[in-house]
Each structure stands twice: as C-alpha cells, then as structure tokens.
Amino acid sequence: MTTRSLLTLGLLASTAFAAPNWAATSTTTVTKTKTTTEHETKTKTTTVHETKTETETKTKTTTLKPTVTITGSCSASAPLSSSTSVSSTSSSSSSASSSASSATTSPSSVISATSTTSSTINTNPTITKTATDVPTATASGLNVAAKNAGKRWLGTAADIPGTGEGADPYYLAEFNNANEFGEATPANTMKFFATEPQQNVFNFTGGDYFVQQAKASGKEIRCHNLIWANQLSDWVTSPAVPWTNATLTAALRNHVTKVIEHFGDDCYSWDVVNEPLSDSPAGAWAANVWYNTIGEEYFFQAFDAATQAVKANNLAVKLYVNDYNIEYLGNKSIAMQGLVKELKSRSLQIDGVGLESHFIAGETPAKADQVANMQAFTALDVDVVVTELDVRLNLPATAASESQQKLDYYNTVSACVSVARCVGVVVWDFVDTYSWIPSTFPGQGYGDLFLQPGGANTPLVKKEAYDGVLEALEGLAEIAA
Ligand code: XIL
C-alpha cells in the first residue's frame, strides 16, 4: 500500500466514521456529602491511616492525615488539611503554604515526609462540580478512582532502573502505591537499544527488573516498544554491511519474536510499532531505517511476526500501534484508522491503538473531539488507551496556566471515561523532576501530576493537575462559569 493509497484509505475512513455529536451532554449541579474512613496496610514497608471527610456544595473541606513509613531511609508523618471554596462569581485566586516551587503557582496539596504541613487552598472558582458517579471502594487514589469509573487502570511510565527515579524513596513510594497506579510502562528499558544491543544478542536485565518492580505492587505492564525510528542500536542504524530488504526484514522479525517470547504474559500489551506515521504531510509514512529500507511492508512484517509469536507461545498479550497527533480527527488519525483496517484485512492481530497525548496546555483537543476520535477507532473493533499523557506549560508556570493544565488533564481523562473501550489512561511519568519534557522541549515543563519543591529525594506535592485527573475519574463535571 502506497502513501497515496494509505491516504485514500484515510479518506474512506473519514466518510465511514463521522464524528458523533457529543455537544448535547448536559450536567446538573447537586449537593453531595461523602464520608470515607480508611485504615489500610499496603505493603510490608508502607502503612497508611487516612481519615477523609468531604462535604461539598459550594464549599469543600478535606482533612487528610496520612502517615507513611519508608523502611530504611526515612519516616514520615504528614497531617494535612485543606479547605476549598468554590464560587461561581469570583475571579481566580489561589494560595498555599508550600513555597519551594520555582513556578509561581499553588500546589493543591502537600505531602511532607519530615514535617507537619497545613495548607489553605482556593481552587479555580470557575469550577462547578457535579456528581455523576459515587466511588464505591474505601481506598483512595487515581487507580482506585479509575477502576470505580470502569477503567482497567490509571497507570504511569517509569524510567527504572538506572536513573534517579529508582533511587528516590519518595518517587518509589508513590510508584509502588497500587491505589494510585495500576499499570506501568517502561519509559526506556524495553526499547530496541536496551534489549538487543548487538545483533541477536539480547539483554533483558533492565526489562526484567522493571517487570519485577511493577508486578510487586500488582501492576499490569504495557510493554513499550518493539519497532520504532528512535533509540535503536548502532548495528541497526550504522550496519557494517548495508541492509537489504531481506536482511533487515529478518532482523526486524527476529527482534519482535524474541522479545515477545522473553516477556511473555508479563506484558499486558506490546506497542508493536511506535509512531509509524508522519506529521508532514500528516498521515504519510514516517521515514526511518525500517521504512526507507523495506518500505511500508515493514509495518505489516512487524505485526505478522508479533501475531505469530503470540500464537506460537499461546499468549494473552494484546498488540497495539502507538502514535502522537492522532488524538483528534485529523489526517493522521484517519490514516491510522486506515492502518487498523489494513491489519484486520490481512488477518493480523491488532487489539488497540495508543493515543500518546503529549499535550501543551491550552492547545489540547476539546473533550468532544477526543471522544469522537476514540469512537472512530473503537468503531473498528479495537480498544484505545491514552498511553503517554502529559500536559506541558511554557515556563514559568502561572496560576492561570496551571488552571488551564488542570482542565486539559480533566478533559482527556474524562474523554476516556466516556468511551467504554478506552481501557485506561497512562501518564508519561508523574513527577516533574523526572519528566522528559524540559530536555526535549526547551522552555517548557511543569507537565506532570506531582512536583518535588525540594528537588529529587524530597517529598512529592500533588498539583492541580492531579485533582483534574481525579475529578474526571470520579465523574465530577468541570464547567466554566
Ligand atoms: C521518551 C523517554 O521518556 C525519554 O526518556 C527518552 O530519552 C526518549 O523517549 N513517545 C514515545 C516514548 O513513544 O517512547 C518517548 O519516551 C516519548 C515520546
């Protein structure tokens, strides 16, 4: 299939899968009183005693008294109280006791491992909360809320081992909190350069460690990724003998087969091909060593090898294609729909499409557009996952941009909640300290759900973005006044 035929397929898809009209969704303001008491032992090393009382009409009061003990490195007792006033008429203002952030914004709560902290926070006063779903579980956290919303999990990427994350007790305590994260994606350790550093010489040390860490807290793993343009081994990009179609196809198939075989059912899913499509022109094949040498058949060869490996080893692992700028119904999404159809017409296994969702605050697709786009994929009988969500800001962050960011997080998570076959949402790591954003997009950052005002190896602070995710999962409507 040529690029032109791919685009033609896309145009057909465009006709067949017109966006449903989601504009008519209505909401009702209600008064809700909720009292939750939790006494929970999560692991041998972490104990949480949390009492939460929440009364919500236009005023919400929350008292949280978590006690966290991290064996060997530190102990923590962190009473925290906050009161939130929501007014439909006043302008935005916020304040908080935490001041160590470099951003001129207000974290929504502070979790201190060393001292007692209390904060009073006024959240965005333009927000009205509407209860459409009352959580049923007694524990709290993003993953708990995701499950209550009918999702499989709320997950996160993590870059362990071998980085600062893996040595940061505060990072690890949060990562290991099954109430917060029910899924983990290895940010780097399963990529080509890591798993096959020399041809047919495999190294699964990092990947195996990741699997062990993730499974220790009951997480499922979205294994990432088998074939991509980037982070390849030198032997692929600078071969001693120039590749031919046949030799590179054999190398590609060998990699896909051996890596799937090794990790087996420890992977909930594999991103078989990552980012196959281009932005210019949107929806064309992306140029890379695979495409340049083999042509578009490389994509189908990868899925063919993966399909056979899953069958031969009797695995339950799901096969995904993953890309960015396919989160709304543009040419790239339409071309991706064409790829899904082509995979199915060739009887190759394709279970889902990963919507990366690396967004910029204030520039994310509208919730209705994200829903319509997800529906266009699920209409093809595949699942979707929001695979790499982050929402970066132009630095320095401001109160206004942080509020916008919260709304952007809310909209994407809420879109997934709205679509039955959106399996779940994965954030592309959860603490700004370890985000890929600042080094990749100079001048931008502050894109994750938590920050560490004191830097690495210091307590995490939940940002407004965290609240946006939680509110979306809890079915609370966020409405501009
Ligand atoms: C990023 C990692 O987070 C970085 O640590 C690494 O240096 C580059 O890759 N899309 C993807 C991910 O599918 O694999 C990328 O991860 C981010 C963009």
Side-chain angles (χ1 to χ4, degrees):
M1 187 168 55
T2 62
T3 297
R4 186 174 298 160
S5 65
L6 183 62
L7 291 170
T8 307
L9 264 180
L11 287 174
L12 289 173
S14 167
T15 313
F17 301 100
N21 178 9
W22 290 87
T25 306
S26 65
T27 54
T28 313
T29 301
V30 300
T31 300
K32 186 182 76 169
T33 302
K34 182 174 69 180
T35 302
T36 311
T37 304
E38 299 171 26
H39 297 287
E40 177 187 333
T41 302
K42 280 188 280 190
T43 68
K44 284 183 180 174
T45 56
T46 304
T47 305
V48 173
H49 301 287
E50 181 175 283
T51 302
K52 180 177 177 182
T53 303
E54 184 177 299
T55 303
E56 180 181 298
T57 49
K58 285 193 171 185
T59 302
K60 183 175 82 175
T61 303
T62 304
T63 304
L64 297 171
K65 293 185 177 178
T67 301
V68 180
T69 303
I70 301 168
T71 302
S73 53
C74 61
S75 65
S77 177
L80 175 140
S81 66
S82 66
S83 66
T84 303
S85 299
V86 181
S87 157
S88 61
T89 52
S90 65
S91 61
S92 175
S93 66
S94 62
S95 64
S97 64
S98 172
S99 59
S101 167
S102 60
T104 57
T105 56
S106 304
S108 62
S109 65
V110 178
I111 302 171
S112 168
T114 54
S115 62
T116 299
T117 307
S118 66
S119 61
T120 300
I121 304 159
N122 292 325
T123 56
N124 185 341
T126 62
I127 296 169
T128 300
K129 295 172 181 177
T130 302
T132 55
D133 184 337
V134 179
T136 52
T138 53
S140 63
L142 300 180
N143 187 47
V144 170
K147 285 181 181 297
N148 287 341
K151 301 294 105 175
R152 195 172 181 96
W153 22 246
L154 190 294
T156 182
D159 200 7
I160 49 179
T163 64
E165 290 180 8
D168 184 332
Y170 296 93
Y171 178 94
L172 290 175
E174 186 65 21
F175 176 77
N176 291 329
N177 183 346
N179 291 338
E180 293 281 40
F181 302 115
E183 185 278 349
T185 302
N188 288 301
T189 51
M190 291 187 191
K191 287 175 175 172
F192 204 115
F193 77 97
T195 50
E196 195 179 353
Q198 297 167 50
Q199 187 162 15
N200 207 30
V201 176
F202 290 87
N203 182 344
F204 296 120
T205 311
D208 287 346
Y209 182 88
F210 187 91
V211 168
Q212 187 190 25
Q213 283 293 111
K215 286 175 75 176
S217 51
K219 293 174 174 46
E220 289 190 323
I221 300 158
R222 293 197 75 262
C223 293
H224 175 81
N225 59 62
L226 293 167
I227 298 296
W228 189 24
N230 299 333
Q231 297 184 282
L232 293 166
S233 303
D234 287 347
W235 65 267
V236 177
T237 49
S238 309
V241 178
W243 293 115
T244 64
N245 185 325
T247 58
L248 189 59
T249 298
L252 174 150
R253 293 187 68 99
N254 188 50
H255 183 81
V256 169
T257 304
K258 296 271 175 61
V259 178
I260 287 180
E261 274 175 8
H262 175 79
F263 290 104
D265 277 332
D266 283 340
C267 299
Y268 163 77
S269 62
W270 264 109
D271 291 332
V272 178
V273 180
N274 201 39
E275 304 182 351
L277 295 173
S278 171
D279 285 318
S280 54
W285 290 101
N288 56 54
V289 63
W290 313 107
Y291 178 76
N292 296 349
T293 309
I294 302 169
E296 62 203 47
E297 282 304 310
Y298 94 85
F299 178 85
F300 301 102
Q301 285 286 342
F303 272 93
D304 186 64
T307 300
Q308 290 191 23
V310 168
K311 273 191 192 142
N313 296 283
N314 200 22
L315 301 175
V317 61
K318 296 179 185 301
L319 302 183
Y320 274 65
V321 54
N322 188 54
D323 215 327
Y324 65 98
N325 280 351
I326 58 164
E327 299 88 0
Y328 58 94
L329 283 170
N331 285 344
K332 199 168 173 181
S333 169
I334 290 165
M336 183 61 85
Q337 292 162 42
L339 290 182
V340 170
K341 288 182 190 173
E342 181 66 15
L343 287 165
K344 283 184 172 284
S345 79
R346 294 186 185 207
S347 298
L348 297 172
Q349 185 184 332
I350 176 68
D351 299 292
V353 177
L355 313 172
E356 290 189 12
S357 309
H358 292 293
F359 289 140
I360 300 172
E363 298 178 25
T364 71
K367 177 187 165 185
D369 292 339
Q370 294 184 60
V371 169
N373 183 63
M374 290 175 183
Q375 296 279 13
F377 284 112
T378 61
L380 301 178
D381 194 23
V382 288
D383 293 336
V384 293
V385 170
V386 175
T387 51
E388 304 186 13
L389 179 61
D390 53 24
V391 182
R392 57 191 188 267
L393 301 180
N394 293 321
L395 298 174
T398 64
S401 65
E402 185 165 20
S403 292
Q404 178 66 50
Q405 180 187 48
K406 176 188 177 187
L407 182 59
D408 295 333
Y409 264 105
Y410 174 94
N411 281 336
T412 295
V413 175
S414 187
C416 182
V417 169
S418 302
V419 176
R421 288 193 69 175
C422 182
V423 176
V425 174
V426 181
V427 294
W428 202 245
D429 232 323
F430 58 88
V431 189
D432 288 336
T433 316
Y434 304 111
S435 171
W436 73 306
I437 294 170
S439 60
T440 312
F441 305 99
Q444 297 182 318
Y446 206 73
D448 291 352
L449 302 184
F450 293 80
L451 55 78
Q452 288 177 301
N457 307 311
T458 67
L460 305 185
V461 174
K462 288 177 184 170
K463 295 157 66 176
E464 285 187 33
Y466 179 100
D467 298 335
V469 173
L470 191 59
E471 288 169 19
L473 293 171
E474 290 181 341
L476 301 176
E478 183 149 353
I479 307 164

